Amino acid sequence: ALLSGDVDLIDPVPVQDMARIQAGAKTTVLTAPELRTMFLNMDSMREELAHSNIKGRNPFKDARVRRAFYQAIDIEAIKTKVMRGMAAPTALMISPLLFPGAGKLKRWPYDVAAAKALLAEAGYAEGFELVMDCPTDRYVNDEEICQAVSAMLGRIGVKVVLNALPKAQYFEKVSPPKYASSFNLLGWTPGSLDSWNVLANLVICRDDKGKGGTFNFGGYCNPKIDELARAILVEQDATKRDGLIGEAFRLLHEDAGMIPLHQQALAWGVTKNMQVTQRADGHIRFAWMRKQ
């Protein structure tokens, strides 16, 4: 539709189509950093992991299993092959543009041998099976990311059955009140552009009805992070507040409570007679556009 002139703007442009749009006589691609962080949730709340061949227990309650999943993911391969360079790997659940202490945390390194050793230490030397839920039309190359993650986990003996769903069906399953997912992909841009938004919505403990961290789809819970989140909310000294935020993110990282992947890049396709300002939060504002 863009190439034929039927529309003036599309968002997002699939990374595999960027060259074709860029080469169009009347079209171009606008790219910029985006604040949205892509990450993986693991159900560490239920006593028994649903949608799995493990009965009577939940492997994700063990931080060693969560860390094994983390270290099994080759984030550079996802960046170069799946996202075609249009992603910035991250160790944080928030864009480094929004938190000055972002550089202090580094991703757990990609290491298949270390991941296998962690699984064995946790009692899952032979791996296990589970279902991964993934949207097909919500984020940039979301299904392709999930396919890559599934293949990478196969290298450590984890058999992933990918359940790819249109976004309406996906969010109906993984969101409250159901939270009916063992392992899933999600993206988040903090509406307030602040770290407390991330902690309050995605990280703090919740109950099975969603009270607490409503969008904490995996049900991860660390009371120390909850305590820090309460302190962050009322701390007025910027330096002290950043220190509390950094500690909360450090605890989440050490616990591998969630697996941050990358900040995806904005990629909008526009006709060349459009003047468009891209906002890093990805919001499309017609007031910031002009058609000549």
Side-chain angles (χ1 to χ4, degrees), residues 49-286:
L49 186 64
H51 318 295
S52 168
N53 67 333
I54 300 295
K55 304 304 176 184
R57 53 184 170 154
N58 184 348
F60 285 139
K61 282 187 171 293
D62 192 321
R64 293 170 295 185
V65 174
R66 300 195 298 267
R67 170 111 167 258
F69 271 52
Y70 194 134
Q71 293 202 250
I73 295 173
D74 186 348
I75 196 63
E76 289 299 322
I78 291 176
K79 173 186 175 181
T80 57
K81 296 180 181 179
V82 177
M83 299 299 291
R84 306 194 186 195
M86 298 296 292
T90 183
L92 275 184
M93 295 288 288
I94 192 168
S95 166
L97 298 174
L98 299 178
F99 179 53
K104 295 180 180 180
L105 281 182
K106 304 298 180 185
R107 287 185 59 85
W108 289 110
Y110 167 59
D111 190 328
V112 173
K116 286 182 176 179
L118 284 166
L119 274 186
E121 186 179 327
Y124 301 97
E126 303 303 318
F128 55 93
E129 300 176 11
L130 81 165
V131 173
M132 179 182 191
D133 297 299
C134 185
T136 60
D137 54 355
R138 177 63 183 91
Y139 309 109
V140 178
N141 283 11
D142 39 16
E143 185 176 2
E144 290 83 356
I145 293 170
C146 293
Q147 290 170 345
V149 168
S150 299
M152 291 167 185
L153 291 173
R155 298 171 189 164
I156 64 170
V158 175
K159 181 180 178 181
V160 176
V161 177
L162 185 58
N163 182 35
L165 298 166
K167 60 185 177 184
Q169 296 176 34
Y170 170 79
F171 283 107
E172 181 184 4
K173 180 180 182 184
V174 304
S175 299
K178 292 184 178 179
Y179 294 114
S181 179
S182 299
F183 185 42
N184 57 72
L185 175 77
L186 190 64
W188 190 263
T189 303
S192 64
L193 308 183
D194 180 69
S195 296
W196 184 83
N197 173 283
V198 173
L199 296 171
N201 285 282
L202 304 178
V203 182
I204 65 170
C205 305
R206 66 161 173 85
D207 62 20
D208 57 2
K209 295 181 179 179
K211 184 179 179 181
T214 304
F215 298 95
N216 180 353
F217 288 169
Y220 168 76
C221 183
N222 185 330
K224 292 181 180 178
I225 294 179
D226 283 35
E227 183 179 340
L228 286 164
R230 289 191 291 270
I232 290 164
L233 184 60
V234 297
E235 180 56 63
Q236 298 184 48
D237 183 284
T239 301
K240 291 181 180 178
R241 189 173 189 272
D242 283 345
L244 295 171
I245 292 169
E247 177 63 8
F249 282 137
R250 185 193 69 78
L251 290 172
L252 179 64
H253 172 75
E254 291 294 325
D255 220 13
M258 292 149 195
I259 304 176
L261 297 175
H262 56 250
Q263 278 87 37
Q264 64 183 30
L266 290 171
W268 296 359
V270 299
T271 54
K272 290 182 178 178
N273 63 345
M274 290 285 289
Q275 292 182 349
V276 178
T277 298
Q278 285 181 297
R279 293 166 52 111
D281 60 10
H283 289 184
I284 294 176
R285 296 285 185 260
F286 292 119

Side-chain angles (χ1 to χ4, degrees), residues 38-57:
M38 302 302 302
F39 61 97
L40 300 171
N41 287 298
M42 300 161 282
D43 178 7
S44 57
M45 186 175 186
R46 290 180 174 86
E47 292 303 317
E48 179 177 293
L49 186 64
H51 318 295
S52 168
N53 67 333
I54 300 295
K55 304 304 176 184
R57 53 184 170 154

